Amino acid sequence: MASRVPHEKVYGIAATRAVLTGRMGDVIRIAFSASLKRELAPALREAAARRIAFEERTDEDLAKIAGSVHHEGICLAARPRRVLDVDALIGWRDARAILALDDVANPHNVGAIVRSAAFFGAGALLVEGPTDRAPLTPAAVRVAQGGAEHLAMARTERLPDALRKLAARGFAVVGADVRGARPLRELRWPERVVLVMGSEGEGLRHAVLDACTDRVVIEGTGAVESLNVSVAAGVLLASWASTRSRDRGSSR
């Protein structure tokens, strides 16, 4: 399915660099501060050749355009990437590991999760929400430091139904759950997996837990109840990636 969002706003040096490098053809406008003019010169030459609008603006202007003081001197508008539905996600060529977020709202956590997912080689991000809303906020995209450009984006209006559909098509659906689950050290990562992370306060909803085929917990000392959701996602993704690396090495 195609996204109904007319354009996306991207700001921050790493996030915009990933867009300018990977899909300049989608860029509509570029606004930047004088301090970045020399660094952006090659991209601006290409933008001029493609007749893409760009202009130098003050930091105050950029804050208004970005809607954030954390613009880092650059903001651009781009045509949004394709957003997959669940059927398209099932057939996605790189869908060995999918990150599914259940009501994870904090953009810093979402962005950090996306950054870790890209770093460790997950293929896609699945979120719940209406089709007229972008899967990620501009703030989350900035925090992801370019990672959002390396994941397929997928959206569903009902996450539990989507997880059941993925399970029926051969994906193991593993929920991160502190309320009683298999310890991470006992988990053997399957060939195709959906890793489901829950909200910062409540964790996974009961309907989402019911849709999981397995549950996993990261065991600690007990000094604190749990990890921050973005840290937990990083630990689980590192475990998945290390297992995949060992499997590749043993098959040579």
Side-chain angles (χ1 to χ4, degrees):
M1 65 179 281
S3 173
R4 298 177 190 172
V5 181
H7 68 270
E8 63 177 330
K9 180 167 56 181
V10 183
Y11 59 83
I13 293 172
T16 55
R17 182 187 297 122
V19 176
L20 293 170
T21 300
R23 53 187 183 102
M24 176 67 90
D26 286 338
V27 176
I28 301 168
R29 293 184 303 277
I30 307 169
F32 60 94
S33 69
S35 63
L36 292 182
K37 190 172 183 178
R38 179 175 296 181
E39 180 180 338
L40 291 173
L44 297 178
R45 285 195 294 270
E46 183 177 354
R50 292 173 178 262
R51 297 185 178 181
I52 296 168
F54 60 86
E55 59 182 341
E56 186 178 311
R57 303 293 292 266
T58 67
D59 283 345
E60 291 77 12
D61 289 340
L62 287 167
K64 292 177 183 177
I65 295 168
S68 170
V69 296
H70 303 295
H71 51 76
E72 300 172 10
I74 184 168
C75 180
L76 58 83
R79 297 175 187 88
R81 294 161 56 204
R82 180 188 177 201
V83 179
L84 307 178
D85 59 18
V86 177
D87 289 329
L89 183 60
I90 288 169
W92 192 249
R93 65 185 181 276
D94 291 326
R96 293 178 303 277
I98 299 168
L99 262 291
L101 303 186
D102 179 24
D103 200 27
V104 180
N106 185 304
H108 294 277
N109 285 334
V110 174
I113 290 170
V114 170
R115 183 176 182 176
S116 294
F119 181 86
F120 287 113
L125 181 78
L126 174 63
V127 299
E128 185 178 78
T131 57
D132 61 350
R133 185 181 305 166
L136 297 176
T137 66
V141 172
R142 181 189 70 84
V143 174
Q145 293 287 295
E149 293 296 309
H150 298 280
L151 297 179
M153 296 291 159
R155 182 172 42 215
T156 178
E157 292 188 351
R158 276 195 50 79
L159 184 59
D161 293 345
L163 296 177
R164 290 189 181 92
K165 195 167 191 177
L166 288 161
R169 296 297 295 271
F171 285 84
V173 180
V174 179
D177 179 29
V178 300
R179 293 166 293 190
R182 178 200 304 263
L184 175 58
R185 67 176 183 277
E186 296 179 6
L187 179 67
R188 182 174 178 83
W189 288 102
E191 182 67 22
R192 300 220 296 176
V193 63
V194 183
L195 178 59
V196 192
M197 306 302 300
S199 69
E200 296 87 343
E202 302 299 325
L204 297 173
R205 292 173 292 167
H206 291 298
V208 172
L209 279 172
D210 289 344
C212 293
T213 60
D214 206 345
R215 303 179 189 181
V216 66
V217 62
I218 301 168
E219 292 186 311
T221 63
V224 294
E225 181 182 9
S226 63
L227 293 170
N228 170 276
V229 63
S230 65
V231 175
V235 171
L236 293 169
L237 285 162
S239 173
W240 168 77
S242 64
T243 300
R244 188 182 59 161
S245 298
R246 287 197 301 270
D247 290 345
R248 281 202 304 263
S250 62
S251 64
R252 291 173 184 170

